[in-house]
Amino acid sequence: MNLNKKLLAAAVASLALGTASSAAFALNAAGVIIPDVPGGTVFAVSSIYESIVPNTGGVANIGATFTGMGSVTQVNGQALQCSGGPCELTFVLTGYTVQSATATTISFTGGTVNMYLDYTPDFNPYAPGTTFASALASASNSTSGTPWLSLSGRNFLDLFTGLQGSLVARNALGGVALAGNGTGELDVSGGMAMAYFDTNTIDDNLNCTVGTNCADVQINASYSTIAAPSSIPLAGSADLHAVVTVPEPASLALLGVGLLGVGAFSRRRKQK
């Protein structure tokens, strides 16, 4: 096989790999394996544990805040995997402040979510003797974890309630009901995995331009007192939706085009 044929074969292989990868692929995002990513989308399932917002007569107090924590258990339908071996990916929610409230809804402003990658898994809010404070400290991995992704609450319009805020809760979070759910949007602000998730692909329903200045991550949570540990008021599950930036397929495709160009140039020179 001469050089031109080799270049052409390499180009075709690169283009084929780029095409296949753009459909579904596994990505190592700063140590966390994201499997079967269709078109770059990520769907993560996590456990979540929360405090109850201070309230008066079942209506959350304006200016009150709440704290939450949790751990990611699945990514795109598969159990959490990390390139460095057994791990945990935990997160802590802080700084969400009540800006409006009724007996059935709460709109929050502000807020941060910090995620930590830890290769010595120890987060277990159900362990005997665990308190809310100790579980929170374990989730933040202040001694052994590495900041993986930092996010800041972003204002959006919740189409279910018509409320705006960085997080909109329905039913229980600050009132007297025993179950509820909520939705929030977030912008990536730091962490090892920032480059993978800073995509501006989540519509805030406030006239942002997708791909330019929209949110990066959406979180949907449900919670109740039923499954909560004795020291933690609320527990439930949370789904995190995002789109990752994946330069590999595009780079491979560009490499293929470049190789084709080299091959064509070589053929023209030979003909001359």
Side-chain angles (χ1 to χ4, degrees):
M1 182 181 289
N2 60 33
L3 178 60
N4 287 345
K5 290 183 178 179
K6 289 181 180 179
L7 288 170
L8 180 61
V12 171
S14 296
L15 286 170
L17 180 57
T19 301
S21 296
S22 64
F25 53 90
L27 172 70
N28 183 344
V32 175
I33 304 301
I34 302 178
D36 299 328
V37 183
T41 59
V42 178
F43 178 79
V45 178
S46 65
S47 57
I48 189 168
Y49 308 90
E50 303 168 355
S51 61
I52 292 179
V53 176
N55 63 91
T56 301
V59 178
N61 298 336
I62 304 300
T65 62
F66 88 99
T67 300
M69 68 193 108
S71 62
V72 173
T73 56
Q74 293 184 6
V75 179
N76 287 350
Q78 298 187 30
L80 176 68
Q81 301 177 59
C82 297
S83 58
C87 64
E88 66 182 6
L89 185 61
T90 56
F91 59 89
V92 173
L93 301 86
T94 57
Y96 281 96
T97 304
V98 177
Q99 63 178 356
S100 68
T102 68
T104 57
T105 62
I106 311 173
S107 171
F108 294 87
T109 186
T112 60
V113 177
N114 290 305
M115 305 184 73
Y116 302 88
L117 177 61
D118 186 4
Y119 286 102
T120 55
D122 58 2
F123 178 67
N124 181 11
Y126 293 91
T130 299
T131 64
F132 192 96
S134 64
L136 190 64
S138 177
S140 65
N141 288 307
S142 57
T143 58
S144 57
T146 302
W148 187 73
L149 191 64
S150 296
L151 306 116
S152 301
R154 177 196 176 95
N155 193 52
F156 76 105
L157 173 63
D158 179 47
L159 298 180
F160 289 100
T161 62
L163 295 172
Q164 291 188 32
S166 57
L167 178 68
V168 176
R170 297 172 286 274
N171 298 327
L173 194 58
V176 296
L178 299 180
N181 55 77
T183 300
E185 293 193 3
L186 299 148
D187 287 325
V188 172
S189 57
M192 296 188 301
M194 177 178 178
Y196 295 92
F197 291 92
D198 188 13
T199 58
N200 302 292
T201 51
I202 306 297
D203 194 348
D204 61 10
N205 302 316
L206 294 172
N207 298 317
C208 70
T209 301
V210 174
T212 302
N213 60 350
C214 290
D216 299 312
V217 178
Q218 181 184 68
I219 182 170
N220 297 293
S222 60
Y223 40 82
S224 73
T225 60
I226 298 173
S230 59
S231 61
I232 298 176
L234 298 169
S237 63
D239 302 329
L240 295 94
H241 302 257
V243 175
V244 292
T245 54
V246 187
E248 290 82 359
S251 298
L252 287 170
L254 289 173
L255 173 62
V257 172
L259 289 173
L260 285 171
V262 170
F265 178 73
S266 298
R267 285 195 298 274
R268 286 197 299 269
R269 291 192 61 183
K270 186 174 182 181
Q271 289 172 357
K272 292 179 181 180

